[in-house]
Amino acid sequence: MTFKRGDMVTAAFQGDLGKPRPAVILHADEYIDAHETLILCPLTTYLADSPNFRPTIAPSAENGLQAVSQIMVDKVTHLRKTAISQVIGRLGDQDMWRLEAALINITGLRQAILPLPMNERTGEQQ
């Protein structure tokens, strides 16, 4: 089975009694073939009021979901490729953008992508 970043899959995660659940692949395409495990975000149909780190995804023919779900960005994990049973669809561009924004929020990476503050006296970045 071949995988791409943004693929919606069903996978058995540890701690869920082996019950397969939808997940989205986060792993960058250029590293997928070389790794035995992939980085994924599981999804849940239990909807929490946490839009900054749990984007809500509506089911569509493109993503293959059966019910409104949230991406559990706070539960990013790695999983062996053998634990992935099937590709059910792909996350759309808008939903992928929201997932990436949630990853930035939950990890604090926004600190790394903001421009450094300017020194008002010298006009140089600090």
Side-chain angles (χ1 to χ4, degrees):
M1 192 174 345
T2 59
F3 303 107
K4 290 187 68 113
R5 186 170 196 273
D7 278 350
M8 297 291 292
V9 298
T10 54
F13 288 86
Q14 192 173 22
D16 283 340
L17 303 174
K19 174 187 141 201
R21 69 166 58 238
V24 61
I25 294 176
L26 296 176
H27 222 88
D29 288 340
E30 58 268 25
Y31 302 112
I32 288 177
D33 289 341
H35 285 87
E36 190 174 316
T37 61
L38 297 179
I39 302 167
L40 297 101
C41 274
L43 279 77
T44 182
T45 55
Y46 175 78
L47 304 180
D49 186 19
S50 305
N52 290 334
F53 61 88
R54 288 228 172 151
T56 302
I57 309 298
S60 72
E62 181 183 16
N63 64 34
L65 291 175
Q66 300 297 311
V68 173
S69 302
Q70 286 182 327
I71 303 173
M72 296 188 286
V73 175
D74 54 320
K75 307 267 188 239
V76 172
T77 190
H78 67 281
L79 201 60
R80 289 186 180 275
K81 291 177 186 175
T82 56
I84 299 172
S85 56
Q86 65 180 335
V87 176
I88 60 171
R90 283 197 59 70
L91 204 56
D93 290 342
Q94 285 292 98
D95 289 332
M96 197 67 189
W97 183 89
R98 292 184 317 115
L99 166 58
E100 290 169 352
L103 281 165
I104 290 167
N105 281 331
I106 197 78
T107 60
L109 288 173
R110 66 188 165 280
Q111 313 294 327
I113 61 172
L114 293 175
L116 293 172
M118 296 293 266
N119 181 319
E120 291 180 19
R121 193 170 50 97
T122 65
E124 296 175 351
Q125 288 186 324
Q126 298 179 14

